Amino acid sequence: MPSPTENQQHLDITAERAKCSFDPSLLTPLFYGGEDTMAQLKKIEAMIDADPIFDRDDRYFLGRTERFQRALPMVKRYVELRNKHGLTPEEAAYFKVYIDDYIPVPTKTKKLIDSILPSLSITAMFLPVLRSQASDDQLKVWGPQAENYHYIGCYAQTELGHGSNLSRLETTATLDIERDQWVINSPTQSSAKFWIGTLGKIANHAIVQAKLIIKGKDCGAHPFLVPLRSLHDHTPLPGVVIKDQGPKQGAISMDNGYARFNNVRIPRENMLMRFSQVSREGVYSKPIHAKLAYGGMTAVRTTLINHSALSMARAVTIATRYCAVRRQGNVNLATDLETQVLDYPSVQYRILPLLSHAFATIFSGYWMNDMYAQYNADISKGDTSLLKDVHVYSSGLKSYCTKLGADGIEEARRCLGGHGYSLFSGMTDFHRQFLATVTYEGENALLTQQVSRYLLKLYKDVLRTPNMHLSPPSKYILSLFHHNLFANQRCEAHSIKDFYQSEVVLHAFQHRAARLIYELAEAEKVSSGWSDLNLECMRLSKAHVQYIMIENFYNGIEKRFNNHANPTVEQQNVLAAVRSVYHLHVFYTMETELGEFLEDGYLSPVQAQWVRQGLKDALKAVRPNAVGFSDCFGFTDTFLNSALGSYDGRAYERLAAMTEREPLNKDLTDKNGVIWGYEEYLKPLVYGQVGPYMGKVNGAGSSKL
């Protein structure tokens, strides 16, 4: 029977929902890609919840080897159910997301799913890269093999010595014209492929990025389909040395692997030849654009934006629900109840902005998905005009959003107090997996250089051609053409209310980013090299991305919630609630970056105080709807797998129940509650059977053995 405290927790979460000003279920389809898609994906959730193969009750008690062993039957069952039910690529991708474990198998996906719930694993790159880089003739042969998992594939780019810098990869593919074959080699220790998901034990094929060498000439990195293991008995093929790379901080079900190639021969036709080709005579035809080789990384970076939104939403759901039912500190004399932790402003300041970041990232993910889809459509027609924008903006958003997520999830976990240290909180396992995102597909700090270099180039182009066409996210650079006028611009806010106007806010973020572009250009003139400008690049990239996210947030609200001629009361309530989260995101971002708005005089000290007050007001505005927002993401208790973040709020009851499944309390303890090993190891200590302590006292209270 629940204790009075546990009943109070349920009463508290119920009261929170009662005071919510909007219906959370009206928002949920936003995160699933629409009503119809949500209905389909909810069926996927029910299918997984009903299948014991995917049970996650004991997940937190398993070690790495056990988690990997558990993943293998999950792989088989996933493919069985996908085939049996004829799941679409999007449904199959979501299936893997809801399993919430890095099962070592690639996902069949033709395009990014239009929601915050994309395929997450890096192994998902094998099929997308195969589709995008292989020719139509190659796909006719390899496509069915890969999609039916006869070819279990991985994408082998990263090496011990290099990662996302394709130009510096050391693995070679040298053309043997006489035998019409490529010879794949790992000439150095640092050229070994490393961190490759499914490579360690599962994959039998890899798309290997290697330097293309013809008659001694290096033509740059290109992708090759390389068999790894025998399709007959799964043994490594001659010349292929493969090992699992060992334990990691997270994703412990995944067999990330290490591989070296020693004169591994593959047919010439195994080079992926959609964009570049090599003829029987050894004639190389280069792609229409050199950056097409980065298509796989761009796809994953785009996916990681959506992944960041999902992870932040998950963290804020758990933290909000628990902090709403956790009571601690000041006592209300009328009720004899301690204060709900979520009512403390310091806790609100740490948790609620994470909610606003999740929304901002969701809308930016939609924006990036649309741009990437348009890019793919254009590329199929030979049009590469969007390539730079897609590459740069996906890089900038990936860098910023994954850092925002990694830092935010940890902050939310700390807000859980001591219980946040337990795996039962539901935070630690998925956070450990998320942490890798700040590194792969471009280390976050390095990606800022690519963004800033591109913006600097656009600025120089504007100085030469002031009427040139710029894409919408970078049009603000045109304001720098008349720098004297620009330098004298000041924020137009005359009261705190003006900061609720989108024009005032967007112009402030545009001005800050533009000024940082100008300062980077000036710093470049006196620098001794580009590496001296790393810090300027980090500041500029962050400023540019924050502007993009705020604009995407605002445009997303207008597009999805403020497009009704005669909105109902319910629609108006949803719009008002989402706008309150938007304003929180604006004020929080401005407040954390106040120095950069103040340092050139664009904001006055009085306006800075308005921003700080606006943040406090925004926290108060969002607080009554906090639990409602945690509900709107649509996460099931099974997916969250959290004692503290369950829908019914009974955190202590669930936490105690989870301890009952601890092996130390079951399998290693007898019916009398005595732990295994007592007779052999503890009893001799208790009964003095290991001899007396013979230390000699030396001076005041010290001893010497």
Side-chain angles (χ1 to χ4, degrees):
M1 178 180 296
S3 70
T5 300
E6 290 157 356
N7 279 330
Q8 185 61 48
Q9 288 187 317
H10 184 63
L11 292 173
D12 284 341
I13 202 90
T14 301
E16 290 287 336
R17 293 190 172 104
K19 67 184 180 184
C20 186
S21 67
F22 70 100
D23 181 356
S25 68
L26 296 178
L27 266 181
T28 305
L30 170 69
F31 313 114
Y32 283 83
E35 291 278 0
D36 294 339
T37 302
M38 183 176 75
Q40 292 174 303
L41 298 185
K42 285 295 181 183
K43 291 179 181 178
I44 300 294
E45 293 178 3
M47 181 192 306
I48 295 170
D49 289 346
D51 196 313
I53 289 290
F54 302 110
D55 182 81
R56 62 195 85 189
D57 281 350
D58 62 349
R59 179 177 294 175
Y60 298 143
F61 308 110
L62 303 179
R64 178 173 185 249
T65 302
E66 295 166 311
R67 287 279 289 269
F68 177 75
Q69 291 173 327
R70 176 70 63 85
L72 291 179
M74 291 167 64
V75 168
K76 180 172 179 283
R77 187 61 174 152
Y78 156 73
V79 178
E80 287 175 344
L81 291 174
R82 184 205 67 164
N83 294 349
K84 176 182 178 180
H85 296 281
L87 300 183
T88 66
E90 292 72 35
E91 290 169 340
Y94 183 70
F95 194 111
K96 278 194 64 183
V97 172
Y98 191 74
I99 291 172
D100 192 34
D101 208 352
Y102 271 54
I103 64 172
V105 65
T107 301
K108 176 186 178 184
T109 176
K110 294 181 181 177
K111 63 184 183 66
L112 293 173
I113 192 168
D114 187 23
S115 72
I116 67 167
L117 303 168
S119 176
L120 307 185
S121 172
I122 195 68
T123 61
M125 287 185 68
F126 176 73
L127 279 167
V129 171
L130 190 69
R131 287 183 180 279
S132 63
Q133 301 282 332
S135 69
D136 291 340
D137 288 340
Q138 289 174 323
L139 282 176
K140 288 178 183 177
V141 178
W142 299 333
Q145 301 290 333
E147 290 171 0
N148 286 291
Y149 298 102
H150 307 317
Y151 290 177
I152 302 175
C154 61
Y155 179 70
Q157 174 176 302
T158 300
E159 298 176 354
L160 272 172
H162 296 92
S164 55
N165 186 356
L166 292 182
S167 66
R168 303 299 293 177
L169 295 182
E170 298 177 73
T171 302
T172 59
T174 304
L175 182 64
D176 183 336
I177 298 179
E178 182 177 341
R179 297 176 61 176
D180 198 27
Q181 292 177 330
W182 297 104
V183 183
I184 310 297
N185 267 311
S186 305
T188 63
Q189 182 66 64
S190 59
S191 68
K193 296 299 181 181
F194 209 80
W195 286 112
I196 313 304
T198 78
L199 174 63
K201 295 296 176 184
I202 302 300
N204 54 37
H205 280 74
I207 293 176
V208 175
Q209 285 281 3
K211 284 184 178 179
L212 189 158
I213 310 293
I214 301 177
K215 298 178 181 178
K217 181 180 179 181
D218 180 356
C219 299
H222 287 69
F224 299 82
L225 183 67
V226 180
L228 301 173
R229 292 180 169 96
S230 166
L231 295 180
H232 173 66
D233 60 9
H234 205 62
T235 55
L237 294 174
V240 181
V241 178
I242 312 179
K243 303 290 182 182
D244 183 277
Q245 72 178 59
K248 310 175 291 293
Q249 183 167 346
I252 62 177
S253 302
M254 176 63 68
D255 58 328
N256 295 82
Y258 158 99
R260 291 193 70 175
F261 304 98
N262 181 22
N263 293 321
V264 175
R265 290 182 171 271
I266 60 174
R268 175 180 52 84
E269 292 85 354
N270 275 35
M271 170 184 162
L272 275 58
M273 296 193 187
R274 177 171 295 277
F275 299 117
S276 54
Q277 300 82 35
V278 175
S279 71
R280 176 65 183 86
E281 295 74 27
V283 177
Y284 172 67
S285 301
K286 65 181 182 180
I288 56 177
H289 198 294
K291 294 294 185 182
L292 288 174
Y294 290 80
M297 285 191 291
T298 301
V300 175
R301 287 169 185 165
T302 302
T303 302
L304 288 175
I305 300 164
N306 300 317
H307 182 18
S308 300
L310 166 68
S311 300
M312 284 187 279
R314 182 174 183 174
V316 80
T317 294
I318 294 171
T320 298
R321 288 176 177 174
Y322 178 64
C323 289
V325 302
R326 170 75 167 179
R327 288 181 174 271
Q328 188 168 316
N330 299 332
V331 177
N332 184 318
L333 297 179
T335 62
D336 194 34
L337 292 173
E338 293 177 275
T339 301
Q340 290 171 271
V341 170
L342 195 56
D343 281 338
Y344 289 106
S346 61
V347 175
Q348 295 171 14
Y349 180 80
R350 297 163 69 192
I351 292 178
L352 298 185
L354 188 59
L355 167 68
S356 76
H357 300 339
F359 268 82
T361 308
I362 286 163
F363 286 117
S364 291
Y366 284 143
W367 175 77
M368 197 67 240
N369 287 351
D370 290 342
M371 183 185 295
Y372 187 74
Q374 184 61 54
Y375 157 75
N376 279 332
D378 291 348
I379 284 292
S380 66
K381 303 172 187 175
D383 180 359
T384 63
S385 58
L386 267 180
L387 192 151
K388 287 185 178 179
D389 276 2
V390 168
H391 171 68
V392 168
Y393 296 138
S394 65
S395 296
L397 282 165
K398 181 270 176 186
S399 172
Y400 181 76
C401 293
T402 54
K403 184 180 187 304
L404 199 65
D407 294 345
I409 297 166
E410 171 60 14
E411 189 64 33
R413 186 197 65 78
R414 293 180 184 181
C415 287
L416 302 177
H419 296 322
Y421 193 61
S422 170
L423 288 183
F424 299 157
S425 69
M427 286 280 207
T428 305
D429 195 56
F430 88 88
H431 185 216
R432 287 187 307 197
Q433 294 183 172
F434 183 84
L435 286 176
T437 66
V438 304
T439 303
Y440 65 68
E441 303 320 298
E443 195 278 328
N444 280 357
L446 289 176
L447 288 178
T448 64
Q449 296 181 45
Q450 297 184 29
V451 177
S452 298
R453 192 186 293 271
Y454 179 63
L455 295 174
L456 181 60
K457 179 183 181 302
L458 291 181
Y459 167 63
K460 293 176 180 178
D461 291 343
V462 165
L463 293 183
R464 289 189 293 267
T465 313
N467 295 321
M468 70 175 290
H469 171 75
L470 293 177
S471 60
S474 54
K475 280 187 176 179
Y476 67 85
I477 298 176
L478 295 172
S479 65
L480 286 170
F481 183 72
H482 299 289
H483 184 260
N484 290 336
L485 293 176
F486 173 84
N488 290 316
Q489 289 179 355
R490 297 295 180 265
C491 179
E492 298 174 355
H494 300 293
S495 71
I496 192 172
K497 292 181 179 179
D498 290 333
F499 281 107
Y500 288 86
Q501 303 299 316
S502 62
E503 297 84 1
V504 172
V505 168
L506 291 174
H507 195 265
F509 278 89
Q510 289 170 345
H511 185 276
R512 169 191 171 216
R515 177 177 62 83
L516 292 176
I517 294 173
Y518 176 79
E519 291 183 358
L520 175 61
E522 293 299 298
E524 186 189 32
K525 295 176 183 178
V526 297
S527 71
S528 59
W530 184 256
S531 60
D532 287 345
L533 305 174
N534 285 174
L535 300 184
E536 287 87 348
C537 289
M538 292 171 69
R539 291 175 63 199
L540 170 56
S541 179
K542 180 171 66 170
H544 181 69
V545 172
Q546 286 176 340
Y547 157 63
I548 288 176
M549 291 185 69
I550 285 175
E551 184 169 56
N552 287 333
F553 198 162
Y554 176 78
N555 291 339
I557 292 174
E558 296 304 301
K559 176 182 177 181
R560 296 174 186 273
F561 301 109
N562 195 27
N563 57 359
H564 304 284
N566 297 297
T568 65
V569 173
E570 285 184 332
Q571 289 168 337
Q572 293 179 51
N573 290 341
V574 169
L575 176 61
V578 177
R579 277 182 172 164
S580 72
V581 177
Y582 165 74
H583 293 309
L584 173 58
H585 184 69
V586 168
F587 282 119
Y588 182 86
T589 306
M590 290 192 77
E591 197 264 351
T592 55
E593 308 294 343
L594 265 181
E596 290 186 357
F597 289 101
L598 283 165
E599 63 187 5
D600 70 337
Y602 183 78
L603 281 190
S604 69
V606 171
Q607 290 169 329
Q609 290 300 318
W610 292 342
V611 169
R612 289 203 169 102
Q613 183 59 50
L615 173 57
K616 296 179 72 172
D617 294 342
L619 291 170
K620 291 178 182 177
V622 173
R623 167 62 185 92
N625 291 326
V627 170
F629 279 118
S630 74
D631 293 345
C632 77
F633 297 117
F635 296 126
T636 66
D637 282 352
T638 301
F639 178 78
L640 292 176
N641 202 16
S642 168
L644 306 183
S646 61
Y647 186 84
D648 63 10
R650 299 186 185 276
Y652 303 149
E653 182 180 346
R654 291 177 179 272
L655 198 59
M658 280 188 167
T659 66
E660 295 295 327
R661 299 198 291 271
E662 165 58 51
L664 286 176
N665 297 326
K666 295 195 311 180
D667 305 333
L668 298 179
T669 302
D670 67 20
K671 63 181 180 180
N672 297 317
V674 179
I675 185 66
W676 167 89
Y678 168 74
E679 292 288 339
E680 295 87 345
Y681 307 112
L682 301 183
K683 187 175 179 179
L685 300 178
V686 175
Y687 281 78
Q689 297 171 357
V690 296
Y693 174 60
M694 301 299 292
K696 296 180 179 179
V697 176
N698 237 358
S702 65
S703 64
K704 181 179 180 181
L705 295 180

